Amino acid sequence: SESRSAKFFFDYLPALSGLTTFVLVSPANMYETSVSDTVSFALSLGNVPRLTRPFVLADVMVKVGGGEYLPVSKITSSDRDRTKVNVEATTTLPVGTLNISAYSGNVTAGVHTVIVKASPSPSVVGAYPSDGS
């Protein structure tokens, strides 16, 4: 009797449901700006589909503040657990909170809130030469 066999590998990917999660956001806090400025964030997103290379920036959409959803600036990696992206947006940052929303594929957008702090007052911490020199 003849025996046949086949060998193959597969990668079980769980079904995604719920919101996109923010595993890591850097920076976690920012300082206010009174003029329009370009801000940059590094995001590590969970509960999103694993992306294949070559990465297509429009596969991950992000909204910073009251802006519209735009493709990320860069996708650095994507695996079964998380996708790491860089985001740049031009906005003003008043004191309070800044919401960042993100999604990929058919997963519902999740929201992360970044704290925007008041700019510290300038102060002199040292002078040279000191008095009496």
Side-chain angles (χ1 to χ4, degrees), residues 1 8 14 23 40 42 47 52 55 59 73 85-86 90-91 107-108 111 126 128 132:
S1 118
F8 63 94
V23 179
S40 299
N47 198 37
T52 56
F55 295 134
D59 283 347
S73 305
V85 300
N86 294 338
T90 302
T91 186
V107 176
T108 305
V111 179
Y128 181 83

Side-chain angles (χ1 to χ4, degrees), residues 61-83:
M61 302 295 284
V62 175
K63 178 171 73 167
V64 177
E68 60 187 52
Y69 279 100
L70 297 171
V72 296
S73 305
K74 183 178 183 181
I75 300 172
T76 55
S77 68
S78 185
D79 60 29
R80 65 181 295 137
D81 297 316
R82 65 188 62 163
T83 295

Side-chain angles (χ1 to χ4, degrees), residues 21-88:
T21 60
F22 288 77
V23 179
L24 178 69
V25 176
S26 180
N29 300 305
M30 302 194 76
Y31 287 105
E32 69 178 322
T33 62
S34 58
V35 296
S36 189
D37 198 6
T38 300
V39 294
S40 299
F41 295 97
L43 308 176
S44 183
L45 304 172
N47 198 37
V48 295
R50 178 176 61 190
L51 305 176
T52 56
R53 291 185 181 265
F55 295 134
V56 176
L57 298 180
D59 283 347
V60 181
M61 302 295 284
V62 175
K63 178 171 73 167
V64 177
E68 60 187 52
Y69 279 100
L70 297 171
V72 296
S73 305
K74 183 178 183 181
I75 300 172
T76 55
S77 68
S78 185
D79 60 29
R80 65 181 295 137
D81 297 316
R82 65 188 62 163
T83 295
K84 296 179 181 180
V85 300
N86 294 338
V87 177
E88 290 186 354

Side-chain angles (χ1 to χ4, degrees), residues 123-130:
S123 61
V124 177
V125 293
Y128 181 83
S130 60

